[in-house]
Amino acid sequence: MNNINIRNVAIIAHVDHGKTTLVDAMLKQSGIFRSNEKVEERIMDSNDLERERGITILAKNTSVFYNDIKINIVDTPGHADFGGEVERVLKMVDGVLLLVDAFEGVMPQTRFVLRKALELKLKPIVVVNKIDRPDARPIEVVDEVLDLFIELGADDEQLEFPVVYCSAKEGIAKYSLEEDSNNLKPLFETIIENIPSPDGDINGSLQMLVTTIDSNDYVGRIAVGKIYRGKIRKNQQVAVVDRDGNVRNAKVVTLYTFNGLKREEIEEGQVGDIVAVAGISDINIGETISDIKNIEALPFVQIDEPTLSMTFSVNDSPFAGKEGEYVTTRHLRDRLFRELETNVALRVKETDSPDAYEVSGRGELHLSILIETMRREGYEFQVSKPQVIYKEIDGVLHEPIEYLTIDVPEEYMGAVMEKLGTRKAEMVNMTSAINGYVRLEFKIPARGLIGYRNEFLTDTKGNGIMNHVFYGYEPYKGDIQERSRGALVAFETGEAVTYGLYNAQERGTLFITPGTPVYQGMIVGICSRNEDIDVNVCKKKHVTNMRAAGSDEALRLSPPMELTLEKCIELISSDELIEVTPKSIRMRKKILDPTIRKREAAKKKQ
């Protein structure tokens, strides 16, 4: 039996192709807001980090009504590192809007999410967005999308996809480029005509799959998911089946449905509805809420494995405990294991040390967002250099490979190819220039990308665009050189002064300014040579009867390099750590004492 008044659809696309802007326009045109209501841009990006970075990190639900039909919309992240969010929410929907930029066309993430959608036999609608761009090439982009569908093995029905041309920013959609339009009506109608209404037996016993976990200070954990069979009622006694098949009893205390950006309490939800259930305190993603008399679990989507790991440990630097609110092993452990409840693509493993945990994720951004979130919550800890996760397949060591797409002006092509060659990249494809830009496609070991983005921006003078997505595992490609420059390491604990920094800046690029507290073993800059140098940034000029104490002020310092978390993750070497606190991000040597550090380095060379 079909629930004909519902359509469940996810919007999938590459990062920055306009998904969240399109959802904004759909919400505004469906009459969700009052005419005089002030509405922010990118309404769905509710998280501070999402607003700052202009990317979607968490998948979110909303709904609009069009001609009495409820369209449940799931806004998904566009970055490959948050693919775990996309994979599980695709279980909630019956079709996808594949959004493609009218200039950039098919990008790596488009390929990744589309493959997942096609495997689940979801009905696709292709939306070519940003047709108002002066350099838009919508017709060629539709051909590229068709080639991608064929390459990914789409069946005949999926290849007959409808196309809608759109400008999310202007809030218009068209069936053809020649049409005039001043609203999104063609898009709404295409969704209603082409996305199937959800299937399922409304009179059968309840089955609901939990795909997202939310929480609320008043009602606790909230499970969000789609009802596959039957009905769910407020105050109903239900059975919860976990991923291992264990069953426990629970009660639905409150039931919500999504209406625009708000959750509304309802008495009953039925097959095809996407609902939120409160009152089951220990519920997790991937579990099935089932009828207590007929307990049947639903299969959960297979989430791709992590490819990168970092060690999170308790801060043991001389400045430990000065800036953070949560600093102990217990705090760190509880927070990391709590993250596992909502972040399904993450893995946390205990190590030999009671103070350190191995945290594995999809990529640098996936892990750096976790670090930044914890830092803002008041946690203080240390992280190591990211390491790729190797696998042994048939007795041969394999490593994760990324598919890298680079758009770069022709004049910088040589520099990019030369750098990538040293990082074991293998060119797969090269497309002729559009507006002076060449598209280069490579397969590259994941470890070859660590620390490359900064170099890439320098080599292309900020004009290049790079995107990558996990490709698969291939045999180990050989050694790749670590950072080519050494570190400037503080020689003693104290406060940096202009005179000391002036002498140190001749050796490389500094990270700190006068007045910054430093400790022995803290990294204060990057050396211009490939060796570590100890520098005394606390050294003051001695006052004599010939020199006054104030003559320091005449010394000119170069502006320091600003240390962001991403910059640290790119720069860090294997014998170093990043110290993360709510107020500061510092780099340090694992061994702080210079004498012991040199002795250990000499032992390794023997």
Side-chain angles (χ1 to χ4, degrees):
M1 192 182 293
N2 284 24
N3 195 340
I4 56 168
N5 293 329
I6 290 181
R7 300 289 185 276
N8 295 326
V9 63
I11 302 190
I12 56 176
H14 186 80
V15 67
D16 209 23
H17 278 196
K19 293 181 305 302
T20 309
T21 309
L22 183 63
V23 176
D24 281 9
M26 291 172 84
L27 285 167
K28 285 170 186 169
Q29 292 191 25
S30 64
I32 292 291
F33 306 109
R34 297 189 313 275
S35 56
N36 63 345
E37 191 170 341
K38 184 179 181 298
V39 181
E40 288 187 60
E41 278 189 16
R42 303 202 330 270
I43 318 155
M44 298 295 284
D45 285 348
S46 50
N47 175 316
D48 286 347
L49 278 171
E50 290 180 319
R51 288 202 158 278
E52 282 170 31
R53 294 171 186 238
I55 57 171
T56 303
I57 296 169
L58 304 167
K60 298 179 195 68
N61 297 67
T62 185
S63 72
V64 297
F65 280 89
Y66 184 79
N67 293 349
D68 296 330
I69 291 179
K70 184 178 186 181
I71 303 173
N72 284 313
I73 303 168
V74 185
D75 183 18
T76 64
H79 198 287
D81 282 18
F82 307 110
E85 292 279 319
V86 183
E87 287 166 36
R88 61 191 166 86
V89 298
L90 289 180
K91 291 286 282 182
M92 283 199 280
V93 298
D94 303 292
V96 291
L97 297 185
L98 178 71
L99 201 70
V100 189
D101 187 299
F103 168 67
E104 289 184 358
V106 170
M107 296 293 271
Q109 179 67 2
T110 322
R111 176 189 305 266
F112 169 80
V113 287
L114 181 60
R115 186 171 69 235
K116 297 282 175 196
L118 294 178
E119 282 169 6
L120 290 166
K121 300 290 180 210
L122 299 176
K123 179 85 180 171
I125 294 172
V126 173
V127 180
V128 180
N129 191 26
K130 305 191 185 181
I131 54 169
D132 51 337
R133 279 181 71 155
D135 47 10
R137 44 184 198 96
I139 304 302
E140 293 103 301
V141 166
V142 173
D143 291 341
E144 285 175 21
V145 173
L146 181 60
D147 291 344
L148 179 63
F149 269 79
I150 294 165
E151 188 188 322
L152 295 176
D155 60 35
D156 292 348
E157 197 183 332
Q158 288 170 330
L159 285 171
E160 294 295 321
F161 55 81
V163 179
V164 179
Y165 299 96
C166 181
S167 167
K169 198 174 170 189
E170 304 287 328
I172 58 169
K174 311 174 178 186
Y175 293 114
S176 68
L177 291 166
E178 300 76 41
E179 276 179 37
D180 276 337
S181 172
N182 59 4
N183 58 33
L184 291 173
K185 190 178 172 187
L187 178 63
F188 286 123
E189 289 184 346
T190 306
I191 291 171
I192 286 164
E193 283 166 25
N194 292 278
I195 302 293
S197 49
D199 266 341
D201 181 2
I202 199 165
N203 299 315
S205 54
L206 168 67
Q207 264 190 320
M208 171 182 159
L209 183 66
V210 178
T211 44
T212 309
I213 293 288
D214 203 346
S215 65
N216 181 302
D217 292 343
Y218 301 105
V219 296
R221 283 168 84 77
I222 297 171
V224 179
K226 176 182 162 189
I227 302 168
Y228 281 76
R229 191 174 67 197
K231 297 177 181 177
I232 190 167
R233 294 178 192 83
K234 193 174 168 180
N235 297 323
Q236 183 178 346
Q237 292 292 334
V238 293
V240 178
V241 190
D242 69 17
R243 285 204 240 169
D244 299 324
N246 304 315
V247 181
R248 61 191 189 278
N249 291 346
K251 182 184 176 185
V252 177
V253 176
T254 321
L255 195 62
Y256 303 95
T257 186
F258 293 90
N259 187 0
L261 298 175
K262 296 193 283 288
R263 284 200 196 111
E264 289 184 351
E265 269 197 54
I266 51 170
E267 292 296 316
E268 179 182 272
Q270 57 187 16
V271 69
D273 273 335
I274 292 175
V275 295
V277 175
I280 308 173
S281 59
D282 54 354
I283 195 144
N284 284 305
I285 288 167
E287 297 186 343
T288 304
I289 298 175
S290 177
D291 192 305
I292 208 156
K293 292 177 186 153
N294 183 19
I295 299 167
E296 280 182 83
L298 285 159
F300 187 62
V301 65
Q302 186 63 41
I303 301 288
D304 283 353
E305 290 295 307
T307 56
L308 209 63
S309 73
M310 292 171 96
T311 303
F312 283 50
S313 56
V314 171
N315 188 10
D316 61 0
S317 84
F319 292 172
K322 289 186 176 179
E323 296 175 354
E325 192 181 338
Y326 307 110
V327 296
T328 64
T329 310
R330 181 175 60 82
H331 287 135
L332 183 64
R333 185 184 190 283
D334 289 353
R335 178 65 184 82
L336 289 173
F337 280 95
R338 193 165 75 244
E339 184 68 22
L340 291 180
E341 294 170 359
T342 54
N343 197 336
V344 289
L346 200 76
R347 303 281 182 276
V348 177
K349 228 165 60 181
E350 302 203 6
T351 63
D352 302 338
S353 161
D355 295 338
Y357 300 90
E358 188 184 302
V359 181
S360 309
R362 283 286 183 87
E364 281 178 61
L365 186 64
H366 188 199
L367 293 170
S368 72
I369 290 288
L370 170 63
I371 295 167
E372 184 63 38
T373 305
M374 287 174 63
R375 175 183 171 226
R376 292 180 182 206
E377 289 170 4
Y379 287 83
E380 183 178 311
F381 52 100
Q382 297 175 149
V383 294
S384 69
K385 178 183 169 70
Q387 302 290 338
V388 298
I389 299 170
Y390 296 102
K391 275 185 182 175
E392 200 163 294
I393 303 170
D394 301 329
V396 179
L397 185 68
H398 282 60
E399 65 174 323
I401 303 292
E402 299 276 321
Y403 195 90
L404 174 68
T405 302
I406 283 179
D407 290 314
V408 64
E410 278 179 287
E411 69 233 59
Y412 304 123
M413 204 169 89
V416 169
M417 288 168 75
E418 187 187 337
K419 283 276 170 70
L420 287 172
T422 62
R423 291 169 175 268
K424 309 287 183 193
E426 176 190 323
M427 186 182 274
V428 180
N429 194 10
M430 179 173 162
T431 317
S432 57
I434 303 169
N435 297 349
Y437 273 72
V438 181
R439 175 165 292 181
L440 309 171
E441 293 174 32
F442 299 88
K443 286 195 306 186
I444 181 170
R447 62 199 165 97
L449 280 174
I450 297 171
Y452 176 61
R453 189 174 292 272
N454 236 23
E455 277 184 43
F456 172 73
L457 290 173
T458 307
D459 292 344
T460 62
K461 300 197 167 41
N463 290 306
I465 301 165
M466 66 178 267
N467 290 287
H468 55 90
V469 66
F470 177 64
Y471 179 77
Y473 274 83
E474 287 187 3
Y476 183 70
K477 305 287 181 193
D479 293 342
I480 295 174
Q481 186 190 354
E482 270 196 17
R483 188 177 72 207
S484 57
R485 295 162 71 188
L488 298 177
V489 187
F491 179 70
E492 65 178 11
T493 301
E495 200 173 274
V497 292
T498 307
Y499 182 69
L501 291 171
Y502 182 75
N503 290 325
Q505 76 178 5
E506 294 169 11
R507 307 292 186 93
T509 309
L510 292 170
F511 299 151
I512 60 170
T513 53
T516 306
V518 298
Y519 54 80
Q520 186 184 55
M522 178 173 149
I523 295 168
V524 294
I526 285 289
C527 186
S528 48
R529 306 202 330 238
N530 66 351
E531 59 188 359
D532 292 344
I533 296 178
D534 290 318
V535 291
N536 190 353
V537 290
C538 307
K539 185 180 180 184
K540 292 183 176 152
K541 187 188 280 186
H542 291 293
V543 180
T544 67
N545 56 2
M546 300 289 287
R547 284 198 300 245
S551 56
D552 253 11
E553 287 154 22
L555 301 175
R556 283 281 177 85
L557 292 176
S558 304
M561 183 197 286
E562 191 188 346
L563 264 195
T564 61
L565 182 59
E566 277 76 16
K567 191 76 66 64
C568 288
I569 291 173
E570 287 190 359
L571 288 173
I572 189 174
S573 194
S574 48
D575 65 336
E576 296 165 0
L577 294 169
I578 304 167
E579 183 183 344
V580 181
T581 78
K583 294 179 185 169
S584 321
I585 291 174
R586 305 182 189 98
M587 284 173 69
R588 53 161 285 193
K589 288 289 180 185
K590 282 183 183 173
I591 302 168
L592 298 177
D593 188 300
T595 316
I596 303 172
R597 194 164 62 243
K598 282 173 184 149
R599 200 182 300 145
E600 288 296 320
K603 273 188 202 167
K604 280 184 183 172
K605 283 181 183 172
Q606 285 172 4

